Amino acid sequence: MDAAGSQVADECARYAGKYQNGFVTTHGGNLLCSKIIHLITNNQVKSQVSKVLHECEQRMYKSVAFPAIGTGQAGQSSAKVADEMLDAVVEFARQKSVQHLQTIKIVIFQTNMFTDFHESMKKKDRDSSAMESWESMFKSFFEGRKQSSEKKKFMILEKKVDIVTFQICGESQEKVDATETWIKDLILKEQFENIISDEAIESFDETQIADLEDLQRRKQVTIEFLNKLSPPQIKITGISRDVYSVSLKVQEMVQRIKSTEEEQSKAELLHNLVEWRHARSNGSFVAFDRLTNMQLERAKMAKKQHLNVRIKNKNYRVDLNTLKATDDQGKTKDLQRVIKDEGK
């Protein structure tokens, strides 16, 4: 509540005693979210999670993040809470009417609690029915629902086929046949196929697809996505020298995506431990984005004096000793470095 600010506290005070369905919804305040759903503790964790999920779907929210409900002052067992929370998510995910809620996150700081949630997931995977495995539903909601049918259609490149016609004339049918065989052998010697297989291929977006379409136009190759396989694959067919050069480009694209995803994962984990904030004009503080947060923390750990960052599309030079950010016109902003409390 302290991080959300006084505006949220005032809203809660106004709604005191007026809650329905066991929760009160307020604005996000200083937090990086549009709404906060405040639960009225009743120790019925599964029921509470289910109500919140249905409320998010009804309000057409795209994502929601839960703490480990009831493991603080309520003193409930984290293993029991994990089972109840994940049961609620599984039941919600199986409903065909779900259209809007795409991402569900459970934020956990304590190592022992993370183990309990992981064990609960594995148990549900063993007990899952043939309808849909727990693992697939977990990936769907905890990593974000993927618009699979649309994305798969989008990821199929139009095949490029250049038709060449040979007219063979000769003294006899035998010589014509021999020449035809020689041409076919020559073509086959120049043809090559390479398949690149990697989970990161599923993360290809419009930028990577456009780059591949450009390569296919410029090179003597056909590029095909085999995205029904696991892991997904890209098949490159054509003249050997072009297949080789295009394959190198695709591998570079895959590596860039994996590096980006790895950095984002590290940034998300670091944000759970420390948060850098910059001041607004009204005196309140707002958090930096995850990647900038990681850059600032890495610079501080490396004992650097300064770091250049961007705030609202403007360049700032941060003094890591005074926690001041100065723009090109000499205007300054105060910064904060907040160590997050594991007990919260």
Side-chain angles (χ1 to χ4, degrees):
M1 186 68 76
D2 292 339
S6 59
Q7 179 186 0
V8 174
D10 293 341
E11 272 193 90
C12 287
R14 287 200 303 272
Y15 293 138
K18 301 178 182 179
Y19 59 86
Q20 295 180 345
N21 297 322
F23 58 82
V24 169
T25 303
T26 68
H27 288 87
N30 295 332
L31 301 181
L32 298 179
C33 60
S34 59
K35 300 288 183 182
I36 303 174
I37 298 177
H38 306 264
L39 294 173
I40 312 302
T41 304
N42 63 9
N43 292 331
Q44 301 297 319
V45 173
K46 180 179 177 180
S47 174
Q48 288 186 308
V49 172
S50 180
K51 287 179 180 179
V52 170
L53 293 175
H54 283 91
E55 176 73 6
C56 291
E57 176 65 17
Q58 183 178 351
R59 300 287 182 181
M60 295 188 289
Y61 299 154
K62 292 186 177 180
S63 63
V64 62
F66 291 93
I69 297 171
T71 57
Q73 294 182 354
Q76 294 198 58
S77 159
S78 58
K80 175 178 176 291
V81 167
D83 286 341
E84 293 196 22
M85 293 188 73
L86 298 180
D87 279 344
V89 174
V90 170
E91 291 180 7
F92 179 78
R94 283 179 175 160
Q95 297 178 17
K96 295 182 180 179
S97 59
V98 177
Q99 296 180 352
H100 304 289
L101 188 58
Q102 298 177 7
T103 304
I104 300 171
K105 293 184 179 180
I106 298 178
V107 182
I108 304 167
F109 295 112
Q110 294 87 342
T111 304
N112 63 315
M113 195 177 298
F114 181 85
T115 302
D116 288 334
F117 273 80
H118 187 225
E119 288 300 320
S120 180
M121 285 168 49
K122 289 195 296 184
K123 180 172 66 177
K124 284 175 172 51
D125 194 27
R126 290 192 297 267
D127 298 340
S128 62
S129 68
M131 290 174 58
E132 182 179 9
S133 74
W134 160 253
E135 182 181 6
S136 65
M137 282 188 291
F138 175 81
K139 288 182 177 178
S140 173
F141 277 95
F142 285 74
E143 297 176 4
R145 283 198 170 196
K146 294 182 173 59
Q147 307 299 323
S148 57
S149 60
E150 292 182 11
K151 197 151 190 175
K152 286 182 187 299
K153 288 180 182 177
F154 176 74
M155 290 180 68
I156 298 174
L157 296 183
E158 181 181 353
K159 291 186 179 181
K160 184 183 73 171
V161 179
D162 296 326
I163 298 177
V164 178
T165 302
F166 289 92
Q167 291 183 340
I168 305 171
C169 301
E171 296 177 354
S172 65
Q173 185 63 44
E174 183 181 352
K175 290 186 177 181
V176 170
D177 292 343
T179 303
E180 181 182 356
T181 301
W182 176 78
I183 291 173
K184 287 181 177 178
D185 290 343
L186 191 63
I187 292 172
L188 289 174
K189 286 179 182 179
E190 281 296 316
Q191 291 295 302
F192 189 71
E193 176 182 291
N194 187 35
I195 294 178
I196 298 172
S197 176
D198 200 290
E199 292 287 355
I201 291 172
E202 193 160 2
S203 298
F204 275 31
D205 60 17
E206 290 90 342
T207 301
Q208 284 80 38
I209 298 299
D211 289 342
L212 291 178
E213 288 175 337
D214 180 62
L215 285 170
Q216 186 173 246
R217 281 191 297 268
R218 293 188 293 105
K219 301 289 186 178
Q220 297 296 316
V221 296
T222 297
I223 301 175
E224 183 180 358
F225 281 89
L226 306 176
N227 46 9
K228 292 184 179 180
L229 301 178
S230 181
Q233 299 176 351
I234 293 179
K235 182 167 73 172
I236 306 163
T237 307
I239 297 176
S240 56
R241 63 175 182 274
D242 286 349
V243 169
Y244 176 74
S245 63
V246 171
S247 296
L248 290 179
K249 293 290 185 182
V250 172
Q251 288 168 346
E252 290 173 4
M253 294 162 67
V254 167
Q255 188 56 49
R256 282 198 298 270
I257 287 177
K258 293 171 76 170
S259 298
T260 299
E261 291 178 346
E262 184 179 352
E263 283 294 285
Q264 290 173 343
S265 177
K266 290 179 180 177
E268 189 68 34
L269 290 172
L270 180 60
H271 181 261
N272 292 332
L273 302 176
V274 60
E275 182 176 87
W276 285 77
R277 304 170 181 172
H278 61 84
R280 291 173 168 171
S281 56
N282 62 4
S284 64
F285 283 80
V286 62
F288 282 96
D289 64 82
R290 303 294 197 263
L291 291 177
T292 304
N293 185 80
M294 183 169 65
Q295 291 168 1
L296 285 163
E297 186 62 20
R298 283 177 172 175
K300 181 169 183 62
M301 292 297 99
K303 297 183 178 180
K304 292 184 178 180
Q305 301 297 314
H306 299 93
L307 181 71
N308 294 324
V309 301
R310 288 183 68 80
I311 303 174
K312 290 186 176 181
N313 297 320
K314 292 180 64 176
N315 295 320
Y316 282 81
R317 182 175 174 82
V318 175
D319 187 318
L320 293 166
N321 293 319
T322 63
L323 298 187
K324 300 281 187 182
T326 306
D327 66 11
D328 297 335
Q329 284 73 46
K331 296 180 181 179
T332 62
K333 283 180 176 286
D334 290 328
L335 303 188
Q336 287 182 344
R337 178 176 177 267
V338 180
I339 304 297
K340 294 193 174 181
D341 186 350
E342 288 190 358
K344 292 186 179 178

